[in-house]
């Protein structure tokens, strides 16, 4: 008999009490229910930890990880990977809401890919609905809003310039988890780092081409959704120093993984922009 596979949702919290219950309730409303939540609070000064404790006291599949604060969302998420062993992992932000069939659809996509490529590390991810505090839709597709073409995310070289696999939409398997290097001091964010580590080892990163998460914008997001104007030439000219600094930080992360020169990074970034102006 095949061993039952373990699916875990890694929930990172920090001063998120305002929206946290709504997010957790959306997890318990999922059509796919065979999972366990592991939560780690990063030293909140509000009621976030108390909310986690209430769910842990009333749900057998809700566990709180007890270890020191990591002092950033990136390090909080990556630290949980070192504390939880599973067959499938999903990152979960504290302030979004998941569509009820998110896990079911990603699990199906994962199963189809594993059937075709059983030995490969695999991650899947989806589009998002950009919403306001009240979950009213601002943009029906984050990919369309900021210009994402997930079909170009195929190799480490090409994926090196691709930063928009949003963590809260991701699911990845055990083989993919083994690719992820932790800790990661040069990483810019946990989701970008995870994807790059998987691609570096020849893994598959594949999209479910529909929005499965209500991505809440409320002014306090660690990273929010950009808008179209940020891709315009006038914006780039006015912010060339910030863009250059961002590119250097991103390349330093890539360099840590053996990507190659800054010139190589700029070349692949140019190619991506040509393919998707």
């Amino acid at each position: 008999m095949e061993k039952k596979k373990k699916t875990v949702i890694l929930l990172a919290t920090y001063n998120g009490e305002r929206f946290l219950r709504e997010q957790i309730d959306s997890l318990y409303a999922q059509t796919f229910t065979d999972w366990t939540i592991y939560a780690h609070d990063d030293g909140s000064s509000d009621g976030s930890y108390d909310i986690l404790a209430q769910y842990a006291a009333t749900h057998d599949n809700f566990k709180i990880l007890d270890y020191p604060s990591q002092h950033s969302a990136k390090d909080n998420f990556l630290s949980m990977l070192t504390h939880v062993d599973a067959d499938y992992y999903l990152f979960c932000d504290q302030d979004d809401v998941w569509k009820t069939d998110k896990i079911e659809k990603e699990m199906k996509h994962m199963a189809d890919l594993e059937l075709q490529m059983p030995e490969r590390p695999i991650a899947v991810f989806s589009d998002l609905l950009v919403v306001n505090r009240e979950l009213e839709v601002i943009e029906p597709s984050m990919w369309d809003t900021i210009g994402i073409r997930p079909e170009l995310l195929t190799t480490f070289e090409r994926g090196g310039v691709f930063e928009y696999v949003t963590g809260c939409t991701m699911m990845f398997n055990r083989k993919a988890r083994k690719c992820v290097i932790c800790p990661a001091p040069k990483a810019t964010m946990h989701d970008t780092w995870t994807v790059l580590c998987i691609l570096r080892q020849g893994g598959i990163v594949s999209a479910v081409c529909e929005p499965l998460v209500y991505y809440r914008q409320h002014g306090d997001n660690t990273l929010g959704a950009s808008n179209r104007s940020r891709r315009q030439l006038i914006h780039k000219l006015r912010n060339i120093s910030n863009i250059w600094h961002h590119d250097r930080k991103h390349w330093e992360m890539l360099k840590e993984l053996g990507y190659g020169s800054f010139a190589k990074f700029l070349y692949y970034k140019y190619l991506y922009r040509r393919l998707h102006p």
Side-chain angles (χ1 to χ4, degrees), residues 3-10 36 38 80-81 83-90 172-178:
K3 180 183 175 182
K4 183 178 179 181
K5 293 188 176 181
K6 180 179 181 180
T7 300
V8 298
I9 300 170
L10 303 181
T36 301
Y38 286 86
M80 285 192 279
L81 290 180
H83 284 80
V84 180
D85 181 66
D87 297 290
Y88 300 105
Y89 298 82
L90 298 99
F172 49 99
N173 64 9
R174 180 186 293 272
K175 292 183 178 68
R177 159 62 190 99
K178 290 180 178 179

Side-chain angles (χ1 to χ4, degrees), residues 213-230:
V213 172
Y214 294 94
Y215 191 46
R216 198 190 312 255
Q217 303 298 291
H218 51 76
D220 299 319
N221 306 62
T222 301
L223 288 177
S226 303
N227 57 44
R228 294 178 192 274
S229 66
R230 294 193 177 186

Side-chain angles (χ1 to χ4, degrees), residues 180-192:
V180 184
I181 301 168
C182 302
K186 293 289 187 179
T188 56
M189 277 303 289
H190 62 284
D191 43 15
T192 303

Side-chain angles (χ1 to χ4, degrees), residues 159-179:
V161 301
F162 192 106
E163 301 178 65
Y164 299 106
V165 177
T166 312
C168 61
T169 73
M170 291 176 63
M171 170 186 284
F172 49 99
N173 64 9
R174 180 186 293 272
K175 292 183 178 68
R177 159 62 190 99
K178 290 180 178 179
C179 298

Side-chain angles (χ1 to χ4, degrees), residues 125-174:
F125 68 106
S126 79
D127 197 354
L128 312 92
L129 291 143
V130 182
V131 300
N132 64 16
R133 291 170 183 261
E134 288 72 41
L135 300 182
E136 298 167 335
V137 175
I138 301 169
E139 296 286 351
S141 166
M142 182 170 150
W143 291 356
D144 289 345
T145 300
I146 62 177
I148 299 301
R149 288 187 57 184
E151 69 273 16
L152 300 179
L153 190 62
T154 54
T155 66
F156 182 47
E157 286 73 23
R158 295 177 75 172
V161 301
F162 192 106
E163 301 178 65
Y164 299 106
V165 177
T166 312
C168 61
T169 73
M170 291 176 63
M171 170 186 284
F172 49 99
N173 64 9
R174 180 186 293 272

